[in-house]
Amino acid sequence: MEKPYIADQIFEKCTSLAYGEYEHCTFRSCNLEGADLKNFQFVDCRFEDCNLSLAKLSGTSLQQVTFEGCKMQGLHFEACNPFLLEYQFTQCVLNLSSFYQTKSKKTSFQNCILHEVDFTEADFSEANFDACDLAGALFDRTVLEKADFRSAINYTISPALNRLKKAKFSQDGLAGLLSDIGIEIS
């Protein structure tokens, strides 16, 4: 069965989406909490002030997708189709989400809340965590080379377990790099 193709549309306050391939579409104030988006395709789309918490992303294609002001708790981005996977997040809440083993180079997180997000074995090279709260986020064998954490807060990242070459941190954030070795900074 061929996917229906939907392009250049604006969807406002929708509570469900028809299965298909969406290109150059904007979704505003949609409540898609728990929605089954399995095998949907989103290309160059924008989600604004939407609730996507607990949506099912198995095989979902996210190519050049922007999320702004969205509630996105408990999402499993590792279930997405990895082909051309690319997304950006601004003022989103992604608590308890997982990026396990995703290749998410150059991803931008701006003013996001990322509590207890799993970044295990993911590649976030050159990612930007601008003004993000990373309390309880898990970084384990994560590639963070050239990533920017200068304005991020509440992170704990072990230099022994993660690749941090040329990553950027502020002096205020150094405690998050040293906490696992028992050094106290005052």
Side-chain angles (χ1 to χ4, degrees):
M1 182 173 103
E2 193 171 311
K3 282 184 202 172
Y5 177 76
I6 302 102
D8 303 310
Q9 299 291 314
I10 296 175
F11 298 86
E12 294 197 54
K13 298 183 180 179
C14 60
T15 56
S16 64
L17 290 177
Y19 174 74
E21 178 181 342
Y22 294 83
E23 189 167 354
H24 303 291
C25 291
T26 299
F27 303 88
R28 290 188 185 128
S29 301
C30 295
N31 185 0
L32 300 170
E33 183 174 7
D36 187 354
L37 302 176
K38 181 180 179 181
N39 296 321
F40 278 58
Q41 187 170 1
F42 298 98
V43 178
D44 197 22
C45 290
R46 182 174 187 79
F47 289 83
E48 300 170 353
D49 302 314
C50 294
N51 182 359
L52 295 154
S53 295
L54 299 173
K56 293 160 192 69
L57 300 176
S58 180
T60 304
S61 183
L62 299 174
Q63 299 173 5
Q64 298 179 0
V65 178
T66 300
F67 298 96
E68 187 170 329
C70 293
K71 183 177 177 185
M72 307 174 73
Q73 298 187 112
L75 296 183
H76 289 272
F77 291 95
E78 72 273 10
C80 289
N81 182 339
F83 182 70
L84 298 175
L85 183 66
E86 184 181 334
Y87 31 57
Q88 308 296 322
F89 305 91
T90 302
Q91 296 179 331
C92 293
V93 177
L94 290 118
N95 297 344
L96 302 169
S97 291
S98 174
F99 292 92
Y100 176 72
Q101 292 186 334
T102 61
K103 291 193 181 354
S104 301
K105 293 179 179 184
K106 298 184 180 181
T107 298
S108 175
F109 295 94
Q110 295 183 339
N111 296 304
C112 292
I113 300 173
L114 299 154
H115 293 181
E116 299 183 46
V117 172
D118 186 358
F119 293 101
T120 300
E121 296 180 21
D123 185 348
F124 276 88
S125 301
E126 300 180 65
N128 185 13
F129 294 89
D130 183 30
C132 291
D133 185 346
L134 291 152
L138 180 60
F139 295 95
D140 185 9
R141 298 174 307 255
T142 308
V143 179
L144 297 166
E145 294 175 353
K146 298 182 182 177
D148 191 341
F149 289 90
R150 289 179 290 186
S151 60
I153 60 170
N154 296 326
Y155 56 82
T156 301
I157 302 172
S158 170
L161 297 176
N162 299 282
R163 290 177 34 197
L164 298 173
K165 187 175 183 177
K166 296 189 178 182
K168 298 174 182 121
F169 298 92
S170 70
Q171 285 186 336
D172 293 338
L174 291 180
L177 296 172
L178 301 172
S179 62
D180 69 325
I181 57 175
I183 294 175
E184 290 184 29
I185 300 172
S186 53

